[in-house]
Amino acid sequence: MKRIVLTVILALAALSASAQTLVVYYSRTGQNYTSDGIVNLKAGNTAVVAKQIQKLTGADIFQLETVRQYAADYHECTQEAKQELAAGARPALKADIDISKYDTIYLGWPCWWGTYPMCVATFLEAHDWTGKTVIPFTTHEGSGFGSGLRDLKAAIPQATVKNGLSIQGSKVKTAGKQIEAFVKGK
């Protein structure tokens, strides 16, 4: 009996050691639009959510950063994002991460023009998503995910994409309980 219990404990330990979780996100600092108008953020809304998820899960974390910086002015940035979307652009990233050792990936972005920023598409297309579980989250000021979930599922059909978390950016600072419930699956 002791051998069976020990075998089960060792099997569970091996399983938990092999199951790795990663939080990947893109976020914008500086000028952002909120329900209160244009505000200047030291930490982007999506970054705030990503770091809370990382803290709650103990996951590794990786921030997507583009080589070319977007305009500091909010309205100019939105026009750049609109042009990238229309062109199907794939902005170069400063760095990448090997996702092969991760089973579960939380993937976050601000909703831009009704979907994820094109730098997220760059990241998605650079990796093999076979067998991965992707848990999306987004920040927005009224559009929710837009078509982002549908676009994500189409981009990585070999992954299991779970229901996501959508938080209004101007409410991120008070969304701790909502984020915790999301991570716990409630």
Side-chain angles (χ1 to χ4, degrees), residues 3 15 19 76 80 96-97 100 105 120 136 144 149 160 162 164 176:
R3 245 184 231 171
L15 180 62
E76 287 178 40
E80 291 172 347
D96 201 0
I97 187 168
S100 64
I105 300 172
V120 173
L149 287 178
T160 299
K162 298 287 190 174

Side-chain angles (χ1 to χ4, degrees), residues 5-6 14 26 80 94 100 103 108 120-121 127 135 147 162-163:
V5 171
L6 181 58
Y26 174 76
E80 291 172 347
K94 287 184 180 180
S100 64
D103 301 313
V120 173
H127 297 282
I135 307 171
S147 66
K162 298 287 190 174
N163 290 332

Side-chain angles (χ1 to χ4, degrees), residues 17-113:
S18 67
Q20 295 286 327
T21 302
L22 173 66
V23 178
V24 176
Y25 69 97
Y26 174 76
S27 192
R28 184 177 193 288
T29 58
Q31 282 190 354
N32 275 270
Y33 175 78
T34 72
S35 57
D36 296 325
I38 302 294
V39 297
N40 199 12
L41 300 177
K42 291 182 181 179
N45 292 320
T46 310
V48 171
V49 176
K51 290 173 184 176
Q52 284 186 289
I53 292 170
Q54 188 276 329
K55 184 178 178 181
L56 289 165
T57 62
D60 292 340
I61 192 165
F62 181 76
Q63 180 178 359
L64 300 175
E65 297 179 88
T66 56
V67 170
R68 187 186 68 74
Q69 294 293 314
Y70 291 100
D73 178 83
Y74 173 79
H75 295 292
E76 287 178 40
C77 176
T78 63
Q79 290 309 305
E80 291 172 347
K82 185 177 185 179
Q83 291 167 356
E84 285 182 351
L85 179 62
R90 297 299 184 260
L93 299 174
K94 287 184 180 180
D96 201 0
I97 187 168
D98 178 6
I99 68 167
S100 64
K101 72 177 185 176
Y102 299 99
D103 301 313
T104 302
I105 300 172
Y106 286 86
L107 180 63
W109 62 83
C111 188
W112 284 8
W113 295 103

